Amino acid sequence: MNNYYSIKSPADIDTFIEKTNALHDGHIVAVEYRNNGIKISGDVYELNSELKQLIIRVLITSIKDAVLEMEFENVLEWKISQADNDILEAGVSFDEKGFIVWADGAIDLNNVQGNDSYVIAKKMKWRIL
């Protein structure tokens, strides 16, 4: 399956949780950070503020040996734990501003920073590789 599924509504969240089994017994195997606004020319870094957009890509394996790719765009805040990459159950929600919140456990919107790993972003898409 190569097509991404976007999270735009509560129904999309329900589909994500159902199709991925809430990432039960998942393990984070890779995290990639990209900022499309940075251009490197030799030793010179240029920042194009019009293209500035942090993208975080997370790859997770599961007990079913599937690999899930999640990609977050226009990231506001994040923390991906390098110490404990295991996920017992993931949560996804919208906050009061309409941002998507993903976390490696139950989500408390008043204290999402309490999770080992979380991402708050304007956009989230996912696919099973």
Side-chain angles (χ1 to χ4, degrees):
M1 175 174 17
N2 291 325
N3 296 331
Y4 282 98
Y5 297 94
S6 295
I7 303 291
K8 296 181 179 179
S9 70
D12 295 333
I13 291 173
D14 292 342
T15 299
F16 172 80
I17 295 299
E18 177 188 332
K19 298 278 186 192
T20 65
N21 194 31
L23 304 177
H24 179 68
D25 288 336
H27 184 80
I28 298 172
V29 293
V31 180
E32 177 184 273
Y33 304 89
R34 293 188 317 237
N35 188 328
N36 291 341
I38 295 177
K39 178 181 175 186
I40 303 170
S41 300
D43 292 337
V44 178
Y45 288 78
E46 290 181 37
L47 178 63
N48 181 338
S49 60
E50 292 178 9
L51 297 177
K52 186 178 177 184
Q53 172 178 270
L54 178 63
I55 297 173
I56 296 178
R57 184 174 163 252
V58 181
L59 295 178
I60 299 173
T61 62
S62 71
I63 199 164
K64 296 180 180 180
D65 292 328
V67 176
L68 173 80
E69 175 186 12
M70 296 184 303
E71 189 171 286
F72 301 91
E73 297 179 22
N74 295 64
V75 176
L76 177 68
E77 185 178 332
W78 78 95
K79 175 177 77 171
I80 305 291
S81 174
Q82 299 299 315
D84 182 11
N85 292 333
D86 291 328
I87 299 171
L88 298 178
E89 188 170 1
V92 181
S93 183
F94 290 101
D95 70 9
E96 68 280 350
K97 295 179 183 175
F99 283 90
I100 296 166
V101 180
W102 170 84
D104 62 351
I107 295 177
D108 175 357
L109 292 176
N110 295 316
N111 185 26
V112 71
Q113 295 83 2
N115 291 81
D116 289 331
S117 296
Y118 70 91
V119 178
I120 303 172
K122 285 189 179 180
K123 295 181 182 178
M124 175 186 169
K125 61 184 180 180
W126 64 277
R127 66 181 175 171
I128 297 173
L129 300 176

